[in-house]
């Protein structure tokens, strides 16, 4: 399916970043030699989510180095990224598996093989080593940017302190369709040994504003933990809005259809029909004021159809 939106930001050649310095391709690590946290900035978990590439290359091209602690910058799925076709710009999200759903021990230690699983196994020690993680993403539709994170206070505290985006999608019971990178290992557990692990959804994949926001949030993330100095006094932050994930609905059949065109952030009342999936399956609102996040633009059997939430 072709894009109805302008391609304001396009991929660039990343071959110069392949070598890195960690023994893992496309992973760069910089230690300050001073005590402090280890931060990971991760881009391109999905191949067509270009804003993270812009933010990560900015860190490397600008020679940004940590004042304290350690900074790691990674490009997660360059194989998918390199498959970008401007005539089909949504098609290179993944090659086989969703790289952001395979971070359980069952998948990583299991017998299956794919480009995503091979890459996840390579990146596993990189993820495990980080105290705090920023995983940069974008959305198919041009909607308001938002955070996504497990419902741990350590995550909320960092996202609220950074303050932008102003919308938070909180997962009290996981994603519901697999284990994302930010819930791998200790970051998926509510104990005192893990730091914050956040996804930032920066806006539409190919929008310049998404790339700009990704870069700014990345710098804010580093400044929050003291790895860089703030370049300017923080401006007044917008009021924060929080949503709780209630259900993740998957596409079950090729007959999946929304009852009306959806972009995201539309609301439905309890029992209201949102979508049908074949002759027997209906997706209905579980509560009054149910807000939909990330409705699929092109239903594909076995992938997520829509996330159902409520304001909290």
């Amino acid at each position: 399916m072709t894009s109805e939106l302008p391609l304001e930001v396009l991929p660039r050649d990343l071959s110069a970043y392949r070598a890195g310095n960690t023994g893992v391709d496309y992973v760069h690590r910089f230690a300050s030699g001073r005590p402090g946290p280890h931060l990971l900035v991760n881009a391109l978990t999905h191949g067509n989510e270009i804003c993270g590439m812009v933010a990560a290359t900015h860190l490397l091209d600008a020679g940004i180095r940590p004042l304290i602690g350690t900074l790691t910058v990674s490009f997660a799925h360059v194989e998918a990224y390199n498959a970008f076709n401007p005539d089909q710009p949504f098609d290179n999200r993944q090659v086989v598996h969703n790289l952001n759903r395979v971070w359980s021990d069952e998948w990583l230690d299991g017998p299956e093989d794919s480009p995503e699983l091979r890459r996840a196994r390579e990146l596993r020690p990189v993820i495990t080593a980080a105290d705090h993680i920023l995983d940069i993403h974008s959305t198919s539709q041009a909607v308001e940017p938002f955070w996504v994170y497990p419902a741990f206070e350590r995550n909320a505290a960092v996202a609220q302190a950074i303050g932008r985006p102003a919308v938070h999608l909180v997962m009290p019971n996981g994603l519901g369709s697999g284990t994302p990178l930010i819930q791998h290992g200790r970051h998926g557990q509510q104990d005192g040994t893990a730091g914050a692990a956040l996804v930032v959804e920066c806006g539409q994949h190919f929008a310049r504003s998404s790339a700009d926001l990704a870069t700014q949030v990345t710098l804010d993330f580093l400044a929050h933990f003291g790895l860089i100095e703030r370049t300017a006094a923080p401006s007044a932050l917008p009021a924060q809005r929080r949503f709780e994930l209630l259900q993740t609905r998957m596409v079950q059949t090729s007959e999946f259809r929304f009852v009306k065109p959806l972009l995201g952030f539309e609301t439905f009342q309890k029992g209201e029909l949102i979508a049908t999936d074949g002759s027997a399956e209906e997706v209905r609102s579980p509560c009054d004021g149910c807000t939909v996040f990330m409705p699929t633009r092109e239903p594909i059997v076995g992938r997520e159809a829509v996330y159902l939430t409520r304001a909290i």
Side-chain angles (χ1 to χ4, degrees):
M1 183 178 291
T2 58
S3 173
E4 305 87 358
L5 296 164
L7 304 180
E8 298 174 352
V9 180
L10 292 171
R12 55 181 280 196
D13 181 12
L14 295 182
S15 58
Y17 304 95
R18 180 172 183 170
N21 61 353
T22 65
V24 180
D25 284 353
Y26 296 104
V27 178
H28 301 254
R29 180 167 295 155
F30 307 101
S32 69
R34 298 180 178 181
H38 182 171
L39 270 58
L40 169 64
V41 174
N42 184 62
L44 295 179
T45 299
H46 296 131
N48 64 343
E49 300 187 6
I50 299 173
C51 64
M53 176 277 295
V54 175
T57 55
H58 173 76
L59 296 181
L60 299 175
D61 295 347
I64 292 175
R65 300 293 183 265
L67 299 173
I68 62 171
T70 300
L71 170 63
T72 297
V73 181
S74 61
F75 303 90
H77 202 347
V78 178
E79 182 175 349
Y81 171 85
N82 284 340
F84 180 81
N85 177 353
D87 295 325
Q88 303 289 338
F90 294 93
D91 288 1
N92 66 312
R93 172 182 173 87
Q94 62 198 63
V95 178
V96 177
H97 292 111
N98 184 339
L99 182 55
N100 206 30
R101 301 293 184 273
V102 299
W103 291 92
S104 66
D105 291 341
E106 290 77 12
W107 274 102
L108 296 177
D109 296 331
E112 292 201 50
D113 182 53
S114 69
E116 287 79 13
L117 284 166
R118 290 193 294 273
R119 184 57 171 164
R121 289 162 184 152
E122 290 177 348
L123 289 173
R124 194 179 198 175
V126 177
I127 308 306
T128 301
D131 296 315
H132 307 286
I133 299 171
L134 179 66
D135 191 18
I136 306 172
H137 289 251
S138 53
T139 52
S140 297
Q141 305 288 0
V143 295
E144 183 176 359
F146 55 95
W147 298 101
V148 185
Y149 52 83
F152 304 142
E153 178 55 34
R154 62 181 184 261
N155 294 329
V158 174
Q160 289 172 347
I162 293 174
R164 55 182 167 185
V167 174
H168 304 242
L169 176 55
V170 181
M171 304 183 295
N173 300 301
L175 194 56
S177 56
T179 304
L181 183 152
I182 60 169
Q183 287 191 276
H184 175 61
R186 62 195 175 107
H187 288 97
Q189 301 170 6
Q190 187 162 8
D191 59 32
T193 65
L198 310 166
V199 161
V200 60
E201 298 277 1
C202 295
Q204 207 280 330
H205 296 325
F206 315 112
R208 169 53 60 184
S209 60
S210 301
D212 292 344
L213 180 64
T215 302
Q216 188 57 60
V217 170
T218 298
L219 296 174
D220 289 345
F221 182 73
L222 301 186
H224 174 78
F225 288 103
L227 269 67
I228 63 173
E229 295 181 353
R230 292 191 182 276
T231 57
S235 57
L237 297 174
Q240 306 290 290
R241 297 154 53 208
R242 290 164 54 85
F243 296 83
E244 177 183 64
L245 178 62
L246 301 175
Q247 298 178 14
T248 300
R249 302 302 295 264
M250 307 296 291
V251 178
Q252 304 291 340
T253 76
S254 60
E255 301 301 314
F256 183 95
R257 299 290 185 275
F258 289 113
V259 297
K260 61 182 180 181
L262 298 178
L263 298 179
F265 289 92
E266 295 87 353
T267 59
F268 293 82
Q269 298 310 302
K270 185 174 183 179
E272 189 175 353
L273 185 64
I274 298 171
T276 58
D277 196 352
S279 59
E281 183 75 11
E282 294 183 336
V283 178
R284 291 187 177 272
S285 171
C287 64
D288 287 335
C290 174
T291 301
V292 300
F293 275 66
M294 294 183 286
T296 181
R297 66 182 299 277
E298 183 179 4
I300 297 174
V301 174
R303 297 191 188 180
E304 292 87 346
V306 64
Y307 299 86
L308 306 182
T309 80
R310 66 177 181 91
I312 54 175

